Amino acid sequence: DAKTTQPNSMESNEEEPVHLPCNHSTISGTDYIHWYRQLPSQGPEYVIHGLTSNVNNRMASLAIAEDRKSSTLILHRATLRDAAVYYCILRDAGRGNDYKLSFGAGTTVTVRA
Amino acid sequence: DGGITQSPKYLFRKEGQNVTLSCEQNLNHDAMYWYRQDPGQGLRLIYYSQIVNDFQKGDIAEGYSVSREKKESFPLTVTSAQKNPTAFYLCASSLQGQTEAFFGQGTRLTVV
Protein backbone atom coordinates (compact mmCIF):
# COMPACT_ATOMS: atom_id res chain seq x y z
CA ASP A 1 0.00 0.00 0.00
CA ALA A 2 1.13 3.52 -0.74
CA LYS A 3 1.95 5.23 2.57
CA THR A 4 1.36 8.74 3.85
CA THR A 5 3.39 10.74 6.37
CA GLN A 6 1.88 13.45 8.56
CA PRO A 7 3.18 15.49 11.50
CA ASN A 8 2.01 14.16 14.84
CA SER A 9 0.47 17.42 15.99
CA MET A 10 -0.23 21.03 15.09
CA GLU A 11 -1.55 24.00 17.01
CA SER A 12 -3.54 26.95 15.76
CA ASN A 13 -5.32 29.99 17.08
CA GLU A 14 -9.03 30.38 16.61
CA GLU A 15 -10.06 32.26 13.45
CA GLU A 16 -6.65 31.63 11.85
CA PRO A 17 -5.99 29.29 8.91
CA VAL A 18 -4.55 25.83 9.46
CA HIS A 19 -2.36 24.12 6.87
CA LEU A 20 -2.00 20.36 7.38
CA PRO A 21 0.72 18.75 5.26
CA CYS A 22 0.79 15.18 4.01
CA ASN A 23 3.62 13.47 2.16
CA HIS A 24 2.90 10.56 -0.17
CA SER A 25 6.05 10.16 -2.23
CA THR A 26 5.13 6.65 -3.46
CA ILE A 27 1.67 7.63 -4.73
CA SER A 28 0.59 5.88 -7.92
CA GLY A 29 -1.22 7.40 -10.85
CA THR A 30 -4.55 5.90 -9.78
CA ASP A 31 -4.38 6.87 -6.10
CA TYR A 32 -6.84 9.46 -4.86
CA ILE A 33 -5.96 11.55 -1.80
CA HIS A 34 -8.62 11.50 0.91
CA TRP A 35 -8.86 13.38 4.19
CA TYR A 36 -10.93 12.41 7.21
CA ARG A 37 -11.13 13.84 10.69
CA GLN A 38 -12.05 12.29 14.00
CA LEU A 39 -13.49 14.15 16.94
CA PRO A 40 -12.91 12.68 20.40
CA SER A 41 -14.82 9.45 21.05
CA GLN A 42 -16.48 9.53 17.63
CA GLY A 43 -16.01 7.79 14.33
CA PRO A 44 -14.07 9.60 11.59
CA GLU A 45 -15.93 11.79 9.14
CA TYR A 46 -15.05 12.53 5.53
CA VAL A 47 -13.57 15.95 4.80
CA ILE A 48 -12.46 16.10 1.18
CA HIS A 49 -10.71 14.16 -1.58
CA GLY A 50 -8.95 14.84 -4.88
CA LEU A 51 -6.79 13.38 -7.63
CA THR A 52 -4.75 16.12 -9.32
CA SER A 53 -6.53 19.45 -9.16
CA ASN A 54 -7.09 21.52 -6.05
CA VAL A 55 -10.49 20.97 -4.48
CA ASN A 56 -12.75 23.12 -2.33
CA ASN A 57 -15.84 22.32 -0.31
CA ARG A 58 -17.69 23.84 2.60
CA MET A 59 -15.37 22.24 5.14
CA ALA A 60 -11.91 22.76 3.67
CA SER A 61 -9.64 23.08 0.66
CA LEU A 62 -7.19 20.50 -0.66
CA ALA A 63 -4.06 21.68 -2.41
CA ILE A 64 -2.22 18.96 -4.35
CA ALA A 65 1.38 19.41 -5.46
CA GLU A 66 2.06 19.27 -9.18
CA ASP A 67 4.06 16.02 -8.82
CA ARG A 68 1.34 14.68 -6.46
CA LYS A 69 3.92 13.61 -3.92
CA SER A 70 2.46 15.86 -1.28
CA SER A 71 -0.78 17.63 -0.44
CA THR A 72 -2.08 20.14 2.09
CA LEU A 73 -5.45 20.32 3.77
CA ILE A 74 -6.41 23.91 4.48
CA LEU A 75 -8.92 24.93 7.11
CA HIS A 76 -9.50 28.57 6.28
CA ARG A 77 -10.65 29.80 9.68
CA ALA A 78 -10.15 27.38 12.53
CA THR A 79 -12.81 27.11 15.18
CA LEU A 80 -12.78 25.19 18.43
CA ARG A 81 -14.94 22.56 16.74
CA ASP A 82 -12.11 21.86 14.30
CA ALA A 83 -9.98 20.37 17.08
CA ALA A 84 -9.62 16.75 15.98
CA VAL A 85 -7.29 14.14 14.54
CA TYR A 86 -6.92 14.58 10.77
CA TYR A 87 -6.05 11.60 8.60
CA CYS A 88 -4.59 11.71 5.11
CA ILE A 89 -5.05 8.43 3.22
CA LEU A 90 -4.72 7.13 -0.33
CA ARG A 91 -7.42 5.17 -2.13
CA ASP A 92 -6.46 3.28 -5.26
CA ALA A 93 -9.03 3.53 -8.05
CA GLY A 94 -7.12 1.32 -10.44
CA ARG A 95 -8.96 -1.47 -12.14
CA GLY A 96 -8.84 -4.74 -10.26
CA ASN A 97 -7.86 -3.12 -7.00
CA ASP A 98 -9.99 -3.78 -3.97
CA TYR A 99 -11.50 -1.35 -1.56
CA LYS A 100 -8.90 -1.62 1.20
CA LEU A 101 -8.97 1.56 3.25
CA SER A 102 -6.02 1.97 5.62
CA PHE A 103 -5.42 4.83 8.05
CA GLY A 104 -2.19 6.05 9.64
CA ALA A 105 -1.75 7.86 12.97
CA GLY A 106 -2.96 11.23 11.69
CA THR A 107 -2.26 14.79 12.88
CA THR A 108 -3.78 15.99 16.13
CA VAL A 109 -4.94 19.57 15.70
CA THR A 110 -5.35 21.77 18.76
CA VAL A 111 -7.16 25.10 18.44
CA ARG A 112 -6.50 27.80 21.02
CA ALA A 113 -9.28 30.22 21.89
CA ASP B 1 -32.61 8.17 8.18
CA GLY B 2 -29.84 6.46 6.26
CA GLY B 3 -26.70 5.61 8.14
CA ILE B 4 -24.47 3.07 9.76
CA THR B 5 -25.27 1.78 13.21
CA GLN B 6 -23.03 0.03 15.68
CA SER B 7 -24.31 -1.61 18.81
CA PRO B 8 -23.87 -1.64 21.68
CA LYS B 9 -21.97 1.57 22.43
CA TYR B 10 -20.29 0.04 25.49
CA LEU B 11 -19.64 -3.65 26.05
CA PHE B 12 -18.08 -5.48 28.95
CA ARG B 13 -16.97 -9.10 28.81
CA LYS B 14 -15.01 -11.50 30.91
CA GLU B 15 -11.65 -12.68 29.71
CA GLY B 16 -11.87 -15.84 27.62
CA GLN B 17 -15.35 -15.18 26.27
CA ASN B 18 -16.12 -14.57 22.62
CA VAL B 19 -18.11 -11.43 21.88
CA THR B 20 -19.86 -10.23 18.72
CA LEU B 21 -20.11 -6.56 17.75
CA SER B 22 -22.94 -5.53 15.48
CA CYS B 23 -22.67 -3.24 12.43
CA GLU B 24 -25.66 -2.46 10.20
CA GLN B 25 -25.97 -0.01 7.31
CA ASN B 26 -28.97 1.01 5.22
CA LEU B 27 -26.96 3.01 2.68
CA ASN B 28 -26.86 0.19 0.12
CA HIS B 29 -23.07 0.27 0.30
CA ASP B 30 -21.02 -2.55 -1.18
CA ALA B 31 -17.95 -2.32 1.02
CA MET B 32 -17.80 -2.60 4.80
CA TYR B 33 -14.84 -2.33 7.17
CA TRP B 34 -13.86 -3.00 10.76
CA TYR B 35 -11.16 -1.03 12.57
CA ARG B 36 -9.62 -1.13 16.00
CA GLN B 37 -8.41 2.00 17.78
CA ASP B 38 -6.32 2.02 20.95
CA PRO B 39 -5.97 5.15 23.13
CA GLY B 40 -3.98 7.89 21.38
CA GLN B 41 -3.48 5.72 18.30
CA GLY B 42 -4.77 5.73 14.74
CA LEU B 43 -7.18 3.24 13.17
CA ARG B 44 -5.95 -0.22 12.31
CA LEU B 45 -7.85 -2.31 9.76
CA ILE B 46 -9.08 -5.69 11.00
CA TYR B 47 -11.25 -7.02 8.16
CA TYR B 48 -13.03 -5.64 5.13
CA SER B 49 -15.63 -6.92 2.70
CA GLN B 50 -16.32 -5.79 -0.85
CA ILE B 51 -19.40 -7.92 -1.55
CA VAL B 52 -21.72 -10.35 0.19
CA ASN B 53 -20.16 -13.68 1.18
CA ASP B 54 -16.64 -12.36 0.65
CA PHE B 55 -14.18 -10.67 2.99
CA GLN B 56 -10.44 -10.08 3.31
CA LYS B 57 -8.06 -9.84 6.24
CA GLY B 58 -6.76 -6.42 7.09
CA ASP B 59 -3.58 -5.62 8.95
CA ILE B 60 -4.50 -7.11 12.36
CA ALA B 61 -6.98 -9.96 11.70
CA GLU B 62 -5.59 -12.46 14.22
CA GLY B 63 -8.08 -13.23 16.98
CA TYR B 64 -11.04 -11.82 15.04
CA SER B 65 -13.64 -13.28 12.70
CA VAL B 66 -16.35 -11.78 10.50
CA SER B 67 -19.22 -12.79 8.25
CA ARG B 68 -21.05 -11.03 5.43
CA GLU B 69 -24.24 -12.96 4.82
CA LYS B 70 -26.26 -9.83 4.02
CA LYS B 71 -25.25 -6.65 2.26
CA GLU B 72 -26.36 -4.48 5.17
CA SER B 73 -24.69 -6.43 7.98
CA PHE B 74 -21.04 -7.10 8.86
CA PRO B 75 -20.70 -8.46 12.42
CA LEU B 76 -17.31 -8.80 14.07
CA THR B 77 -16.53 -11.53 16.59
CA VAL B 78 -13.70 -10.92 19.02
CA THR B 79 -12.53 -14.39 19.99
CA SER B 80 -10.71 -15.58 23.08
CA ALA B 81 -7.60 -15.88 20.91
CA GLN B 82 -7.32 -12.09 20.74
CA LYS B 83 -4.72 -11.37 23.41
CA ASN B 84 -5.61 -7.75 24.13
CA PRO B 85 -9.22 -7.16 23.05
CA THR B 86 -9.97 -4.03 25.08
CA ALA B 87 -10.26 -1.22 22.52
CA PHE B 88 -12.57 1.10 20.58
CA TYR B 89 -14.01 -0.68 17.52
CA LEU B 90 -15.23 1.23 14.47
CA CYS B 91 -17.25 0.00 11.53
CA ALA B 92 -17.44 1.80 8.19
CA SER B 93 -19.06 1.38 4.78
CA SER B 94 -18.65 2.85 1.32
CA LEU B 95 -19.77 2.54 -2.29
CA GLN B 96 -17.46 1.52 -5.08
CA GLY B 97 -14.89 3.94 -6.38
CA GLN B 98 -13.74 7.14 -4.81
CA THR B 99 -16.76 7.95 -2.70
CA GLU B 100 -16.49 8.75 0.96
CA ALA B 101 -16.62 6.13 3.69
CA PHE B 102 -19.19 6.51 6.45
CA PHE B 103 -18.35 5.49 9.99
CA GLY B 104 -20.46 4.31 12.87
CA GLN B 105 -20.14 5.82 16.33
CA GLY B 106 -18.08 2.90 17.58
CA THR B 107 -18.27 0.24 20.28
CA ARG B 108 -15.99 0.50 23.29
CA LEU B 109 -15.16 -3.03 24.39
CA THR B 110 -13.71 -3.67 27.83
CA VAL B 111 -12.55 -7.13 28.80
CA VAL B 112 -12.08 -7.75 32.50
Side-chain angles (χ1 to χ4, degrees), chain A residues 32 34 36 38 98-99 101, chain B residues 33 35 37 48 50 98 101:
Chain A
Y32 279 72
H34 285 243
Y36 286 76
Q38 185 179 21
D98 64 20
Y99 304 154
L101 182 60
Chain B
Y33 308 84
Y35 297 89
Q37 188 171 36
Y48 63 108
Q50 297 172 198
Q98 290 303 314

Side-chain angles (χ1 to χ4, degrees), chain A residues 1 30-34 36 38 41-46 49 87 91-93 97-106, chain B residues 30-31 33 35 37 41-43 45 48-50 56 58-59 88 90 94-101 103-105 108:
Chain A
D1 297 334
T30 53
D31 281 331
Y32 279 72
I33 302 156
H34 285 243
Y36 286 76
Q38 185 179 21
S41 299
Q42 295 188 25
E45 63 174 343
Y46 168 83
H49 78 277
Y87 297 97
R91 294 198 76 176
D92 191 346
N97 287 294
D98 64 20
Y99 304 154
K100 187 174 182 181
L101 182 60
S102 295
F103 286 72
Chain B
D30 303 298
Y33 308 84
Y35 297 89
Q37 188 171 36
Q41 305 295 314
L43 280 67
L45 182 63
Y48 63 108
S49 168
Q50 297 172 198
Q56 287 79 40
D59 302 313
F88 187 48
L90 286 157
S94 74
L95 285 169
Q96 298 181 30
Q98 290 303 314
T99 57
E100 63 191 274
F103 282 80
Q105 289 302 299
R108 195 167 298 278

Side-chain angles (χ1 to χ4, degrees), chain A residues 1-110:
Chain A
D1 297 334
K3 301 292 185 188
T4 63
T5 304
Q6 300 176 251
N8 290 334
S9 62
M10 292 191 73
E11 291 188 356
S12 174
N13 294 319
E14 202 173 9
E15 301 293 317
E16 291 184 356
V18 182
H19 289 241
L20 300 175
C22 181
N23 288 321
H24 28 77
S25 58
T26 61
I27 191 170
S28 74
T30 53
D31 281 331
Y32 279 72
I33 302 156
H34 285 243
W35 284 83
Y36 286 76
R37 72 178 187 181
Q38 185 179 21
L39 301 173
S41 299
Q42 295 188 25
E45 63 174 343
Y46 168 83
V47 177
I48 200 167
H49 78 277
L51 182 62
T52 56
S53 303
N54 294 344
V55 184
N56 299 295
N57 66 22
R58 63 175 180 83
M59 290 181 71
S61 295
L62 176 61
I64 302 173
E66 196 168 336
D67 63 5
R68 299 204 334 118
K69 293 186 177 182
S70 66
S71 61
T72 302
L73 179 72
I74 303 165
L75 309 177
H76 294 286
R77 292 180 64 189
T79 69
L80 297 178
R81 290 175 295 178
D82 292 321
V85 179
Y86 288 77
Y87 297 97
C88 168
I89 63 174
L90 302 179
R91 294 198 76 176
D92 191 346
R95 178 175 294 185
N97 287 294
D98 64 20
Y99 304 154
K100 187 174 182 181
L101 182 60
S102 295
F103 286 72
T107 297
T108 299
V109 171
T110 303

